Coordinates of all heavy atoms in Angstrom, one line a residue:
E19 N 50.0 158.7 131.2 CA 50.2 159.3 129.9 C 51.0 160.6 130.0 O 51.7 160.9 129.1 CB 48.8 159.6 129.3 CG 48.1 158.4 128.8 CD 46.6 158.7 128.5 OE1 46.0 159.7 128.9 OE2 46.0 157.8 127.8
R20 N 50.9 161.3 131.1 CA 51.7 162.5 131.3 C 53.2 162.1 131.4 O 54.0 162.8 130.8 CB 51.3 163.2 132.6 CG 49.9 163.9 132.5 CD 49.5 164.4 133.9 NE 48.1 164.9 133.9 CZ 47.4 165.2 134.9 NH1 48.0 165.1 136.1 NH2 46.2 165.6 134.9
K21 N 53.5 161.1 132.1 CA 54.9 160.6 132.2 C 55.4 160.2 130.8 O 56.5 160.5 130.4 CB 55.0 159.5 133.2 CG 54.7 159.8 134.6 CD 54.9 158.6 135.5 CE 54.6 158.9 136.9 NZ 54.7 157.7 137.8
C22 N 54.5 159.5 130.1 CA 54.9 159.1 128.7 C 55.1 160.3 127.8 O 56.1 160.3 127.0 CB 53.8 158.2 128.2 SG 54.1 157.6 126.5
A23 N 54.2 161.2 127.9 CA 54.3 162.4 127.0 C 55.7 163.1 127.2 O 56.3 163.6 126.2 CB 53.2 163.4 127.3
E24 N 56.1 163.3 128.4 CA 57.4 164.0 128.6 C 58.6 163.1 128.3 O 59.5 163.5 127.7 CB 57.5 164.4 130.1 CG 56.5 165.5 130.5 CD 57.0 166.4 131.6 OE1 57.9 165.9 132.3 OE2 56.6 167.5 131.7
A25 N 58.5 161.8 128.7 CA 59.7 160.9 128.5 C 60.0 160.6 127.1 O 61.2 160.6 126.7 CB 59.5 159.6 129.3
R26 N 59.0 160.5 126.2 CA 59.2 160.1 124.8 C 59.8 161.3 124.1 O 60.7 161.1 123.3 CB 57.9 159.7 124.2 CG 56.8 160.8 124.2 CD 55.4 160.2 123.8 NE 55.5 159.7 122.4 CZ 55.3 160.5 121.4 NH1 55.0 161.8 121.5 NH2 55.3 160.0 120.1
V27 N 59.5 162.5 124.4 CA 60.1 163.7 123.8 C 61.5 163.9 124.3 O 62.4 164.2 123.5 CB 59.2 165.0 124.0 CG1 59.9 166.2 123.5 CG2 57.8 164.8 123.3
N28 N 61.7 163.7 125.6 CA 63.0 163.9 126.2 C 64.0 162.9 125.5 O 65.1 163.2 125.2 CB 63.0 163.6 127.7 CG 62.6 164.9 128.5 OD1 62.9 166.0 128.1 ND2 61.9 164.7 129.6
A29 N 63.5 161.6 125.3 CA 64.3 160.6 124.7 C 64.7 161.0 123.3 O 65.8 160.8 122.9 CB 63.6 159.2 124.7
D30 N 63.7 161.4 122.5 CA 63.9 161.8 121.2 C 64.9 163.0 121.0 O 65.8 163.0 120.2 CB 62.6 162.1 120.5 CG 62.8 162.5 119.0 OD1 63.0 161.6 118.2 OD2 62.7 163.7 118.7
R31 N 64.7 164.0 121.9 CA 65.7 165.1 121.9 C 67.1 164.7 122.4 O 68.0 165.3 121.9 CB 65.1 166.2 122.8 CG 63.8 166.8 122.2 CD 63.9 167.4 120.8 NE 62.7 167.9 120.3 CZ 62.4 168.3 119.1 NH1 63.4 168.3 118.3 NH2 61.2 168.7 118.8
E32 N 67.1 163.8 123.2 CA 68.4 163.3 123.6 C 69.1 162.6 122.4 O 70.3 162.8 122.2 CB 68.3 162.3 124.8 CG 69.6 161.7 125.3 CD 70.3 162.7 126.1 OE1 69.7 163.8 126.5 OE2 71.5 162.5 126.4
I33 N 68.4 161.9 121.6 CA 69.0 161.3 120.4 C 69.4 162.4 119.5 O 70.5 162.4 118.9 CB 67.9 160.5 119.7 CG1 67.5 159.3 120.6 CG2 68.4 160.0 118.3 CD1 66.3 158.6 120.1
A34 N 68.6 163.4 119.3 CA 68.9 164.5 118.4 C 70.2 165.3 118.9 O 71.0 165.7 118.1 CB 67.7 165.5 118.3
S35 N 70.2 165.4 120.2 CA 71.3 166.2 120.8 C 72.6 165.4 120.6 O 73.7 166.0 120.4 CB 71.1 166.4 122.3 OG 72.2 167.1 122.9
C36 N 72.6 164.1 120.6 CA 73.8 163.2 120.5 C 74.1 163.0 119.0 O 75.3 163.1 118.6 CB 73.6 161.9 121.1 SG 73.3 162.0 122.9
H37 N 73.1 162.7 118.2 CA 73.4 162.3 116.8 C 73.0 163.2 115.7 O 73.5 163.1 114.6 CB 72.6 161.0 116.5 CG 72.7 159.9 117.6 ND1 73.9 159.7 118.2 CD2 71.8 159.1 118.1 CE1 73.7 158.7 119.1 NE2 72.5 158.3 119.1
G38 N 72.2 164.2 116.0 CA 71.7 165.1 115.0 C 70.5 164.5 114.3 O 69.9 163.5 114.7
S39 N 70.0 165.2 113.2 CA 68.8 164.9 112.6 C 69.0 164.2 111.3 O 68.1 163.8 110.6 CB 68.1 166.2 112.4 OG 67.1 166.2 111.5
G40 N 70.3 163.9 111.0 CA 70.6 163.2 109.7 C 70.2 161.7 109.9 O 70.1 161.1 110.9
M41 N 70.2 161.0 108.7 CA 69.8 159.6 108.7 C 71.0 158.7 109.2 O 70.8 157.6 109.6 CB 69.4 159.1 107.3 CG 68.1 159.7 106.9 SD 66.7 159.2 107.9 CE 66.7 157.5 107.6
T42 N 72.2 159.2 109.2 CA 73.4 158.5 109.7 C 74.1 159.3 110.7 O 74.0 160.5 110.7 CB 74.3 158.2 108.5 OG1 74.8 159.4 107.9 CG2 73.7 157.4 107.4
R43 N 74.8 158.6 111.6 CA 75.5 159.3 112.6 C 76.9 159.6 112.1 O 77.5 159.0 111.2 CB 75.6 158.4 113.9 CG 74.3 158.0 114.4 CD 74.5 157.1 115.6 NE 73.2 156.5 115.9 CZ 73.1 155.2 116.4 NH1 74.1 154.5 116.5 NH2 71.9 154.8 116.7
V44 N 77.5 160.6 112.8 CA 78.9 160.9 112.4 C 79.8 159.7 112.6 O 80.7 159.5 111.7 CB 79.4 162.1 113.3 CG1 80.9 162.3 113.1 CG2 78.7 163.4 113.0
T45 N 79.7 159.0 113.6 CA 80.6 157.9 113.9 C 80.4 156.7 113.0 O 81.2 155.8 112.9 CB 80.4 157.4 115.3 OG1 79.0 157.1 115.5 CG2 80.8 158.4 116.4
D46 N 79.3 156.7 112.1 CA 79.1 155.7 111.2 C 80.2 155.7 110.1 O 80.5 154.7 109.4 CB 77.8 155.8 110.5 CG 76.7 155.4 111.4 OD1 77.0 154.7 112.4 OD2 75.5 155.7 111.1
S47 N 80.9 156.9 109.9 CA 81.9 157.0 108.9 C 83.3 156.6 109.4 O 84.2 156.5 108.7 CB 82.0 158.5 108.5 OG 82.4 159.3 109.6
L48 N 83.4 156.3 110.8 CA 84.7 155.9 111.3 C 84.8 154.4 111.1 O 83.8 153.6 111.2 CB 84.7 156.2 112.8 CG 84.5 157.7 113.2 CD1 84.6 157.8 114.7 CD2 85.6 158.6 112.5
S49 N 86.0 153.9 110.8 CA 86.2 152.5 110.5 C 87.0 151.8 111.6 O 87.6 152.5 112.4 CB 87.0 152.4 109.1 OG 88.2 153.1 109.2
G50 N 87.1 150.5 111.5 CA 87.9 149.7 112.4 C 87.5 149.8 113.8 O 86.3 150.0 114.2
Q51 N 88.5 149.5 114.7 CA 88.2 149.4 116.2 C 87.7 150.7 116.7 O 86.8 150.7 117.6 CB 89.4 148.9 116.9 CG 89.2 148.7 118.4 CD 90.5 148.3 119.1 OE1 91.5 148.2 118.5 NE2 90.3 147.9 120.3
E52 N 88.3 151.8 116.3 CA 87.9 153.1 116.7 C 86.4 153.4 116.5 O 85.6 153.9 117.3 CB 88.7 154.2 116.1 CG 88.4 155.6 116.7 CD 89.1 156.7 115.9 OE1 89.4 156.5 114.7 OE2 89.3 157.8 116.5
G53 N 85.9 153.1 115.3 CA 84.6 153.3 114.9 C 83.6 152.4 115.7 O 82.6 152.9 116.2
E54 N 84.0 151.1 116.0 CA 83.2 150.2 116.8 C 83.1 150.7 118.2 O 82.0 150.7 118.8 CB 83.8 148.8 116.7 CG 82.9 147.8 117.4 CD 81.6 147.7 116.8 OE1 81.5 147.9 115.6 OE2 80.6 147.4 117.5
Q55 N 84.2 151.1 118.8 CA 84.2 151.6 120.1 C 83.3 152.9 120.3 O 82.6 153.1 121.2 CB 85.6 151.9 120.6 CG 86.5 150.6 120.8 CD 87.9 151.0 121.0 OE1 88.4 152.0 120.6 NE2 88.6 150.1 121.7
S56 N 83.5 153.8 119.2 CA 82.7 155.0 119.3 C 81.2 154.8 119.2 O 80.4 155.4 119.8 CB 83.2 155.9 118.1 OG 84.5 156.2 118.3
R57 N 80.9 153.8 118.3 CA 79.4 153.5 118.2 C 78.8 153.0 119.4 O 77.7 153.2 119.7 CB 79.2 152.6 117.0 CG 79.2 153.3 115.6 CD 78.8 152.3 114.5 NE 79.9 151.4 114.2 CZ 80.9 151.7 113.3 NH1 80.9 152.8 112.7 NH2 81.8 150.8 113.1
R58 N 79.6 152.2 120.2 CA 79.1 151.7 121.5 C 78.9 152.8 122.5 O 78.0 152.7 123.4 CB 80.1 150.7 122.0 CG 80.0 149.3 121.3 CD 80.6 148.2 122.2 NE 82.0 148.5 122.6 CZ 83.1 148.1 121.9 NH1 82.9 147.3 120.8 NH2 84.3 148.3 122.3
L59 N 79.6 153.9 122.3 CA 79.4 155.1 123.2 C 78.0 155.7 123.0 O 77.5 156.4 123.9 CB 80.5 156.1 123.1 CG 81.9 155.6 123.5 CD1 82.9 156.7 123.1 CD2 81.9 155.5 125.0
L60 N 77.5 155.7 121.8 CA 76.2 156.3 121.4 C 75.1 155.3 121.5 O 75.1 154.4 120.8 CB 76.3 156.9 120.1 CG 77.5 158.0 119.9 CD1 77.5 158.5 118.4 CD2 77.3 159.1 120.8
E61 N 74.2 155.5 122.4 CA 73.2 154.5 122.6 C 72.3 154.4 121.4 O 72.0 155.3 120.7 CB 72.3 154.9 123.8 CG 73.1 155.0 125.1 CD 72.3 155.6 126.2 OE1 71.6 154.8 126.9 OE2 72.4 156.8 126.4
D62 N 71.8 153.2 121.2 CA 71.0 152.9 120.0 C 69.6 153.6 120.1 O 69.0 153.8 121.2 CB 70.7 151.4 120.0 CG 69.9 151.0 118.7 OD1 70.5 150.9 117.7 OD2 68.7 150.9 118.8
D63 N 69.2 154.2 119.0 CA 67.9 155.0 118.9 C 66.7 154.2 119.5 O 65.9 154.7 120.2 CB 67.6 155.4 117.5 CG 68.5 156.5 117.0 OD1 69.4 156.8 117.8 OD2 68.3 157.0 115.9
R64 N 66.7 152.9 119.2 CA 65.5 152.1 119.6 C 65.5 151.9 121.1 O 64.4 151.9 121.7 CB 65.5 150.8 118.9 CG 65.1 150.8 117.4 CD 65.4 149.5 116.7 NE 66.8 149.2 116.7 CZ 67.3 148.1 116.2 NH1 66.5 147.2 115.7 NH2 68.6 147.8 116.2
T65 N 66.7 151.8 121.7 CA 66.8 151.7 123.2 C 66.3 152.9 123.8 O 65.6 152.9 124.8 CB 68.2 151.4 123.5 OG1 68.7 150.2 122.9 CG2 68.3 151.2 125.0
L66 N 66.8 154.1 123.3 CA 66.4 155.4 123.9 C 64.9 155.5 123.7 O 64.2 156.0 124.7 CB 67.1 156.5 123.1 CG 68.6 156.7 123.6 CD1 69.2 157.7 122.6 CD2 68.6 157.2 125.0

């Protein structure tokens, strides 16, 4: 539980550090191939 307590907050803050606290990411507004490539660079919230 100690490992879990630290890892879950670290993961969530990593998401916040990358994407912010908004409901959408900055790269969601990018279109075409550039947007798709950029989105792949940012790991999915559920995976984190």
